[in-house]
Amino acid sequence: MCPIMADSAIQRQYTLSNIREDYVEAPEDEAPLDSVEQELLPITRKRQIIVLFSSFMTAFQTIGINQSYGVFQGYYIASNGGPDAVITAKQAQNKALVAFVGTLGAGLTWAGSIFVNPLMARSKDLRQITLTGAALMSLGYGLAGSCSQIWQLILCQGFLYGIGSSMLYFPILSVAPEYFDSRRGAAMGFILSGAGVGGLVMAPVIRVLLDHIGIRWTLRALCFINLAIALPIGLSASPSRSSRQRPSLVNISLAKKPAFTLQALAALLQASGNFVPLNFLPEFSTALGYTAGFGAALLALSNGVNTASRIAMGFTADKAGRQNTLVLSVLGSAVSVFAFWMSSLDGSKALWITFVVAYGILAGGYNALFPTTITEVFGIQAYASVNGFIYFVRGLGAFFGTPVGGIIMGSHGSNSSVITLKDYRKLIWYDGALLLGSSLCVMAVRGFDAYEKKHWRWKA
């Protein structure tokens, strides 16, 4: 048999086996295998390239900007109600409220799946959703440039942007795994590395814009930058390969499985802990004695390392097992918080930079790999509903992660000398505990998945 025919046979067998598993869970939906085979549209190299590029740029423009909010947070707090400020001096001192602007946008990017998924199920053309999302993102930035109160900023840079980013993100990213099979881990690693590239590029760009044109025109500039990037992305949205409408709600029997509950809890805890170092990174850097510009550069460095890590994690996962690599990634990120961030409280800049790099490498694994593990654990036909729910849970986690960190830090004045390194100790314990809890959950998912399938595989 020629190699091409062999690969096609393997892909066909893999797809049909996954679909069989799903129909076993829901016998009433069972269909003949020949009709199942016809339900999946064929894959072409051209369409794979379009999916790779559009999905990469989607992650760049949504998650990448979310991971750069720490630059805005540091600026809002330091502005202290100056003439160019978009919030009052009193509001600038409330770190939890300032942090909530960014976490609301980031949380809705994921949590918006709860209403975007049903829209996708009813839509005949996903571009209607993605183009609306691109417009809402730009509208949020544009209106934020005219804000004068924190509630207005929450509504514009938080709510409007977050809803728009979710409408752009899910229609494109949710179908991406369908276009890859044997190299799904590597493909998703590359796609989600766009988030790291976005942070690498946007963090210093935002800092430069803030220094040269101020906060109001920076937000307005982002309005037009987003239109230039997001509109072509929205127009390139690819259809689902499945001609059969997939459920937008999770199957009850599937939801009762321990692996599902633990997967959701892991997502909640990881999302809560993941944004804490990123949002407080510029501020902690200034507390160590670095300039605000260098703090933004360190955030870009973390995102840049994160980019390479997501790609490398994807390739590693295809070789060593996706669930195995996921466990090592989340556990490693928790260890880095305790080992390096905690140790840098003595004023060691070397340990702090080590943490920035180590966390950038290790934290990227979860974001790149958990979509592929959803397919493996719950099946490709359940992917859309489970992925949508898990992202909704991740959004909830992002909502409270950094704001609670701001409450733990307490309210300080705008002068960085008021903030001591010791003030961050409780914050670090809080972040490390969240990531450690997520680590235990993903390990338990690994065990329950093997138990339910009645077969333990070292490579899984």
Side-chain angles (χ1 to χ4, degrees):
M1 181 181 293
C2 70
I4 294 177
M5 293 176 64
D7 289 342
S8 299
I10 292 172
Q11 290 180 6
R12 179 175 178 272
Q13 181 181 4
Y14 177 83
T15 302
L16 295 180
S17 64
N18 272 323
I19 294 172
R20 262 193 219 104
E21 291 174 6
D22 292 324
Y23 285 127
V24 167
E25 292 176 358
E28 64 275 12
D29 294 332
E30 195 161 11
L33 289 179
D34 56 349
S35 65
V36 170
E37 182 181 7
Q38 295 173 3
E39 287 176 0
L40 296 177
L41 298 176
I43 299 174
T44 65
R45 179 70 56 165
K46 179 181 178 181
R47 179 55 61 180
Q48 283 184 320
I49 293 173
I50 291 174
V51 170
L52 275 175
F53 183 74
S54 64
S55 301
F56 176 91
M57 291 305 300
T58 300
F60 176 102
Q61 193 61 14
T62 55
I63 310 302
I65 290 182
N66 293 344
Q67 293 183 167
S68 303
Y69 179 76
V71 179
F72 279 114
Q73 180 172 316
Y75 187 91
Y76 289 144
I77 292 172
S79 64
N80 199 26
D84 185 50
V86 294
I87 57 177
T88 66
K90 183 177 180 180
Q91 292 169 343
Q93 295 176 14
N94 191 331
K95 293 186 178 182
L97 206 55
V98 172
F100 183 67
V101 175
T103 54
L104 177 61
L108 282 175
T109 301
W110 291 331
S113 65
I114 203 70
F115 77 89
V116 174
N117 262 0
L119 284 179
M120 291 168 56
R122 294 176 176 85
S123 176
K124 295 181 179 179
D125 188 349
L126 295 179
R127 290 175 295 184
Q128 297 174 346
I129 302 174
T130 55
L131 291 175
T132 301
L136 286 176
M137 290 171 68
S138 290
L139 181 63
Y141 280 129
L143 292 177
S146 300
C147 291
S148 59
Q149 297 287 328
I150 188 70
W151 69 266
Q152 297 170 348
L153 203 62
I154 290 172
L155 179 63
C156 298
Q157 192 177 0
F159 182 77
L160 277 179
Y161 161 81
I163 291 295
S165 63
S166 185
M167 295 177 72
L168 180 68
Y169 185 88
F170 277 102
I172 294 177
L173 268 293
S174 64
V175 303
E178 298 178 13
Y179 285 86
F180 307 94
D181 191 358
S182 61
R183 298 182 180 178
R184 184 177 292 141
M188 293 306 296
F190 172 79
I191 287 170
L192 293 172
S193 71
V197 175
L200 172 65
V201 173
M202 295 308 298
V205 165
I206 292 170
R207 186 70 246 178
V208 169
L209 290 174
L210 289 172
D211 290 339
H212 287 81
I213 62 176
I215 180 61
R216 296 188 181 277
W217 281 105
T218 295
L219 290 167
R220 291 163 186 159
L222 287 176
C223 166
F224 293 106
I225 291 173
N226 180 74
L227 280 177
I229 296 175
L231 285 180
I233 293 172
L235 288 170
S236 69
S238 298
S240 170
R241 288 185 62 214
S242 176
S243 60
R244 189 175 196 225
Q245 182 174 318
R246 295 185 181 182
S248 58
L249 298 178
V250 178
N251 186 290
I252 295 298
S253 62
L254 186 150
K256 292 179 179 179
K257 292 184 176 182
F260 179 84
T261 302
L262 290 165
Q263 186 87 294
L265 183 57
L268 179 79
L269 296 175
Q270 199 278 337
S272 301
N274 183 53
F275 280 103
V276 172
L278 297 176
N279 285 343
F280 284 95
L281 193 153
E283 187 181 336
F284 187 85
S285 299
T286 57
L288 269 176
Y290 290 120
T291 64
F294 191 76
L298 286 179
L299 181 58
L301 172 64
S302 179
N303 284 313
V305 172
N306 187 275
T307 300
S309 170
R310 293 186 189 214
I311 298 174
M313 289 281 187
F315 281 102
T316 302
D318 287 336
K319 300 293 183 181
R322 292 155 191 167
Q323 293 188 64
N324 293 339
T325 309
L326 183 70
V327 169
L328 292 176
S329 171
V330 184
L331 183 60
S333 63
V335 170
S336 71
V337 168
F338 290 119
F340 300 122
W341 192 4
M342 185 71 77
S343 299
S344 67
L345 290 178
D346 64 359
S348 173
K349 294 182 177 179
L351 285 173
W352 171 238
I353 293 178
T354 300
F355 168 72
V356 169
V357 174
Y359 188 79
I361 292 173
L362 296 165
Y366 184 89
N367 301 304
L369 296 176
F370 95 88
T372 66
T373 61
I374 287 175
T375 304
E376 290 188 352
V377 175
F378 304 108
I380 194 170
Q381 287 294 327
Y383 176 80
S385 58
V386 175
N387 188 57
F389 180 80
I390 295 296
Y391 266 113
F392 169 70
V393 172
R394 292 204 76 197
L396 297 180
F399 283 149
F400 76 79
T402 303
V404 170
I407 294 173
I408 291 173
M409 286 291 297
S411 297
H412 299 280
S414 62
N415 189 341
S416 63
S417 63
V418 175
I419 305 171
T420 66
L421 294 178
K422 291 182 180 180
D423 293 323
Y424 289 90
R425 187 176 299 278
K426 291 182 180 179
L427 177 70
I428 297 171
W429 277 109
Y430 162 72
D431 185 51
L434 290 172
L435 294 174
L436 184 59
S438 181
S439 304
L440 297 175
C441 288
V442 293
M443 285 188 278
V445 170
R446 172 84 165 87
F448 275 107
D449 180 50
Y451 176 77
E452 289 173 0
K453 293 176 180 176
K454 296 181 172 54
H455 177 64
W456 173 266
R457 293 182 300 159
W458 288 107
K459 180 183 175 181

